[in-house]
Amino acid sequence: MNKGRLWKMPVKLDEGKALYKLKLDHFETELNQLLGNKIKFSFTGEIICPSCQKKTKKSYSGGFCFPCSQKLACCDICIVKPEMCHFSKGTCREPDWGEKNCMIPHYVYLSNTSAVKVGITRQKQLITRWIDQGATQGLPILEVQTRYISGRVEKVISELVSDKTNWREMLKGTPNDLDLSHQRDTLFDSCGEELDELESEFGEENVTFLENELTTSISYPVLEYPKKVASLSFDKTSVIEGELLGIKGQYLFFPQGVLNIRKFTSYVVEIDI
Ligand SMILES: [Zn+2]
């Protein structure tokens, strides 16, 4: 049935192209092939927490009920600010989860989302992460052994390169290609001393500078970029429908505006395609 909770769109990269799926609890469909077709989303008014499966009036931390958002490790502040990871203090909300998700190798990367930005991610998530943020280019620049170290490295680099995506700019078009490997070399020069200090603090075996990686390019299925970026919201309109003009990041483009699918994770919707 085409009814269920919305999930973040599963993505993958195929020969340089971002491929998207639209996913509900028990329904999944390839989205790229629906470009140019009409899609209708009807929000039923229900939001169901993916952790405790209870109804919630509002969603917190990407789709959870309030009590779960206060209990789960994946909703903790250190997920947004990895340099605040407190696993080593023994205070992780869910040490088993932390062991599997944070105490594992991470990449620090540069990406091009409308300008260059620095970010961090678990190793296996690298491509997913770039597509989720609508990056047209990405380059891993350091490999480190924990989320905490990646946060500390990102903090140093973010003094010179933004760690934020300007999503409005990202949605306006395809940015010019950047020479990310040149940017990496410049950054290694400019923050060399601070990065070397981190390498001594955490040990050489835990911080690897990646000097020879290649830049990955990503193109998105877009017929037409929005002229004006208006955000569509199920909190304001229960029915959102129109011709699918494009997909980038976790956004769908419609003639009347853009819909951030991720923002409405856990909202129960019906889909007509
Ligand atoms: Zn819950």
Side-chain angles (χ1 to χ4, degrees), residues 48-56 63-69 71-72:
I48 300 176
C49 174
S51 179
C52 67
Q53 314 302 328
K54 287 182 188 147
K55 275 191 207 173
T56 173
F64 297 94
C65 71
F66 184 72
C68 286
S69 77
K71 271 193 304 228
L72 297 170

Side-chain angles (χ1 to χ4, degrees), residues 69-102:
S69 77
Q70 301 298 298
K71 271 193 304 228
L72 297 170
C74 69
C75 302
D76 204 346
I77 181 74
C78 41
I79 294 305
V80 190
K81 298 185 174 212
E83 73 277 12
M84 288 172 73
C85 170
H86 46 98
F87 187 93
S88 66
K89 295 189 182 120
T91 51
C92 182
R93 287 178 176 184
E94 296 171 278
D96 286 348
W97 189 90
E99 197 77 63
K100 284 192 205 95
N101 291 278
C102 304

Side-chain angles (χ1 to χ4, degrees), residues 107 126 139-143 181 184 210-215:
Y107 280 130
L126 190 61
L139 176 70
I141 60 169
L142 284 113
E143 185 186 343
S181 33
R184 169 201 58 206
L210 304 175
E211 282 162 20
N212 299 306
E213 293 291 318
L214 297 175
T215 298

Side-chain angles (χ1 to χ4, degrees), residues 9-263:
M9 292 185 281
V11 299
K12 68 177 185 205
L13 189 65
D14 183 43
E15 292 178 3
K17 293 194 175 82
L19 298 184
Y20 286 87
K21 282 182 180 170
L22 189 59
K23 182 173 156 66
L24 303 181
D25 285 318
H26 305 290
F27 171 80
E28 218 177 66
T29 186
E30 306 280 346
L31 250 191
N32 294 53
Q33 64 196 29
L34 295 178
L35 213 62
N37 291 16
K38 280 213 161 134
I39 302 188
K40 179 180 178 185
F41 290 89
S42 313
F43 174 43
T44 62
E46 278 186 339
I47 306 170
I48 300 176
C49 174
S51 179
C52 67
Q53 314 302 328
K54 287 182 188 147
K55 275 191 207 173
T56 173
K57 285 211 171 96
K58 248 183 94 177
S59 93
Y60 298 84
S61 291
F64 297 94
C65 71
F66 184 72
C68 286
S69 77
Q70 301 298 298
K71 271 193 304 228
L72 297 170
C74 69
C75 302
D76 204 346
I77 181 74
C78 41
I79 294 305
V80 190
K81 298 185 174 212
E83 73 277 12
M84 288 172 73
C85 170
H86 46 98
F87 187 93
S88 66
K89 295 189 182 120
T91 51
C92 182
R93 287 178 176 184
E94 296 171 278
D96 286 348
W97 189 90
E99 197 77 63
K100 284 192 205 95
N101 291 278
C102 304
M103 303 308 285
I104 57 168
H106 278 63
Y107 280 130
V108 180
Y109 63 80
L110 296 179
S111 66
N112 179 6
T113 52
S114 70
V116 63
K117 82 161 220 113
V118 61
I120 66 121
T121 187
R122 282 172 282 166
Q123 251 173 6
K124 283 186 191 145
Q125 291 291 103
L126 190 61
I127 300 283
T128 305
R129 185 90 182 128
W130 290 338
I131 297 178
D132 282 350
Q133 62 192 199
T136 51
Q137 294 174 290
L139 176 70
I141 60 169
L142 284 113
E143 185 186 343
V144 298
Q145 288 309 303
T146 65
R147 185 175 180 83
Y148 175 66
I149 305 176
S150 74
R152 292 281 306 278
V153 171
E154 184 186 35
K155 196 103 189 108
V156 166
I157 295 179
S158 68
E159 281 161 28
L160 295 170
V161 165
S162 170
D163 55 358
K164 306 264 181 315
T165 299
N166 180 337
W167 63 273
R168 284 181 181 277
E169 283 305 311
M170 181 276 285
L171 293 174
K172 277 185 188 159
T174 306
N176 293 330
D177 275 346
L178 299 172
D179 187 345
L180 293 182
S181 33
H182 176 70
Q183 304 243 14
R184 169 201 58 206
D185 295 345
T186 312
L187 279 169
F188 282 173
D189 278 344
S190 332
C191 341
E193 218 168 291
E194 282 155 292
L195 293 174
D196 286 345
E197 276 170 27
L198 288 180
E199 194 185 12
S200 322
E201 182 181 339
F202 295 109
E204 258 175 51
E205 66 284 12
N206 293 317
V207 180
T208 309
F209 291 81
L210 304 175
E211 282 162 20
N212 299 306
E213 293 291 318
L214 297 175
T215 298
T216 298
S217 295
I218 304 168
S219 70
Y220 293 87
V222 176
L223 295 177
E224 214 177 289
Y225 277 98
K227 282 170 198 80
K228 213 179 125 219
V229 179
S231 292
L232 304 174
S233 166
F234 290 122
D235 295 328
K236 290 186 197 131
T237 332
S238 57
V239 175
I240 293 174
E241 63 181 319
E243 186 189 349
L244 181 64
L245 294 178
I247 318 165
K248 194 178 184 192
Q250 282 283 325
Y251 289 84
L252 301 185
F253 302 169
F254 291 107
Q256 70 275 32
V258 299
L259 177 64
N260 181 356
I261 293 292
R262 188 176 217 172
K263 191 171 170 207

